[in-house]
């Protein structure tokens, strides 16, 4: 397909592409995503869907990808469809190709009910937010039950990205000092669910307690009290509890 720019004909082609996006047509979704990534004039401001959009954020190495992988496995066993958008806002060098993630998520690549996409971002904040909003809305058009948006770290870019999701899951790990990083970046304020991962390691319970008390100190939202969970996603410990919390939050946000 030719590169889209403004003009009646390409606008018609764009609309046709949008209306062809379904779960059965992942290639059209992938093509539409590439187009919005490469042309900042193409925007999708809204999409009507029943998808729940969940952000997974937290410092590098805490286990975000492992968590997404565990969630996919559990949700697929309940016949749910899932899209994963992996966002790399910080690294223009990697071009969004998160190799480790691709390998780990690889076992789901042949499953038509699982759509996985790494997003190449140009590394500047305004561009990223605009692009991610459109990409999420395109993915919503395909009607997945759950859309997970995984970020790379904790910083201002992550906070920006989390504006476009309904449910924010903040992943932490014991003894990594990521709680401090998260609070600096403002991640604690936006988290709906906090997962202290790697509970098979020392210090997880203590981290969860510390986190709970610092959350109690901050202002309470009107209809949702943030939940703190312990889990070991690599060992599938706490996955069902995490899914319950995500669903509960989704119900409240409806
Ligand atoms: N001990 C332990 N290690 C884990 C657990 N979950 C993930 N890991 C490990 O932590 C490392 C980082 O995981 P990854 O999911 O790539 O983290 P991400 O950078 O936040 O996406 C990997 O070596 C995982 O095997 C867990 O529950 N327990
Ligand atoms: Mg990751």
């Amino acid at each position: 397909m030719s590169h889209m720019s403004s003009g009646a004909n390409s606008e018609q082609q764009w609309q046709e592409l949008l209306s062809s996006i379904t779960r059965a047509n992942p290639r059209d979704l992938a093509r539409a995503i590439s187009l919005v990534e490469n042309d900042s004039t193409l925007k999708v401001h809204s999409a009507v869907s029943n998808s729940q959009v969940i952000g997974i954020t937290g410092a590098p190495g805490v286990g975000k990808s492992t968590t997404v992988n565990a969630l996919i496995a559990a949700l697929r066993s309940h016949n749910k469809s899932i899209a994963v958008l992996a966002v790399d806002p910080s690294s223009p060098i990697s071009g969004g190709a998160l190799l480790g993630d691709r390998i780990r998520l690889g076992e789901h690549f042949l499953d038509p009910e699982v759509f996985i996409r790494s997003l190449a971002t140009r590394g500047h904040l305004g561009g990223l937010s605009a692009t991610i909003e459109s990409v999420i809305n395109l993915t919503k058009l395909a009607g997945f039950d759950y859309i997970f948006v995984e970020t790379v770290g904790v910083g201002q870019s992550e906070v920006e990205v989390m504006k476009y999701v309904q449910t924010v899951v903040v992943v932490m790990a014991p003894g990594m000092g990521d709680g401090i990083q998260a609070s600096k970046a403002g991640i604690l304020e936006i988290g709906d669910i906090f997962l202290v991962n790697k509970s098979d390691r020392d210090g997880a319970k203590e981290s969860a307690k510390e986190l709970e008390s610092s959350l109690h100190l901050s202002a309470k939202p009107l209809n949702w009290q943030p939940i703190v969970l312990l889990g070991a996603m690599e060992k599938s410990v706490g996955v069902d509890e995490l899914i319950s919390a995500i669903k509960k939050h989704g119900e409240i946000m409806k």
Side-chain angles (χ1 to χ4, degrees):
M1 175 189 274
S2 64
H3 178 73
M4 301 265 178
S5 58
S6 46
N9 193 38
S10 57
E11 173 61 26
Q12 192 190 335
Q13 286 177 355
W14 175 239
Q15 292 304 332
E16 275 169 18
L17 179 59
L18 290 185
S19 57
S20 73
I21 292 175
T22 64
R23 255 179 22 242
N25 269 339
R27 296 181 72 183
D28 285 344
L29 173 58
R31 200 166 53 170
I33 290 175
S34 296
L35 289 167
V36 299
E37 280 186 303
N38 291 313
D39 182 346
S40 59
T41 66
L42 279 179
K43 293 202 166 70
V44 185
H45 287 296
S46 64
V48 179
S49 89
N50 291 320
S51 305
Q52 185 178 354
V53 186
I54 301 126
I56 309 280
T57 191
V62 293
K64 297 180 297 295
S65 300
T66 310
T67 300
V68 170
N69 210 38
L71 289 169
I72 293 175
L75 290 167
R76 286 302 296 129
S77 73
H78 293 109
N79 244 339
K80 301 295 184 188
S81 55
I82 299 124
V84 179
L85 304 172
V87 185
D88 185 350
S90 54
S91 170
I93 297 160
S94 78
L98 305 173
L99 255 190
D101 292 339
R102 277 175 197 273
I103 290 164
R104 197 158 320 110
L105 293 167
E107 66 190 85
H108 302 290
F109 265 116
L110 294 175
D111 184 342
E113 297 295 306
V114 180
F115 177 85
I116 296 168
R117 173 73 182 233
S118 290
L119 298 180
T121 58
R122 311 274 115 53
H124 80 92
L125 207 59
L128 171 68
S129 316
T131 305
I132 193 67
E133 182 184 22
S134 293
V135 171
I136 288 172
N137 284 324
L138 285 172
T139 309
K140 279 179 163 182
L141 290 175
F144 292 97
D145 294 313
Y146 296 93
I147 301 172
F148 293 103
V149 182
E150 181 191 339
T151 65
V152 203
V154 275
Q156 204 45 54
S157 321
E158 280 73 15
V159 174
E160 285 290 313
V161 167
M162 292 300 135
K163 286 181 184 161
Y164 303 107
V165 307
Q166 293 160 317
T167 302
V168 177
V169 177
V170 179
V171 184
M172 295 180 174
M176 286 191 62
D178 47 281
I180 298 154
Q181 274 190 59
S183 70
K184 272 192 199 149
I187 287 276
L188 289 186
E189 284 71 36
I190 62 167
D192 301 305
I193 299 162
F194 292 85
L195 170 69
V196 178
N197 189 36
K198 309 194 186 184
S199 62
D200 53 314
R201 291 201 182 160
D202 287 344
K205 278 187 187 137
E206 290 75 9
S207 293
K209 274 188 196 134
E210 265 171 46
L211 181 60
E212 244 160 14
S213 50
S214 56
L215 289 172
H216 282 299
L217 295 176
S218 58
K220 282 181 186 138
L222 288 176
N223 53 356
W224 180 259
Q225 183 65 48
I227 295 181
V228 177
L229 299 170
L230 274 166
M233 293 298 123
E234 201 165 53
K235 299 174 168 71
S236 300
V237 174
V239 182
D240 292 342
E241 290 80 358
L242 179 57
I243 290 176
S244 301
I246 288 171
K247 283 185 180 165
K248 199 172 152 198
H249 189 260
E251 288 299 317
I252 281 165
M253 297 311 283
K254 261 181 195 161

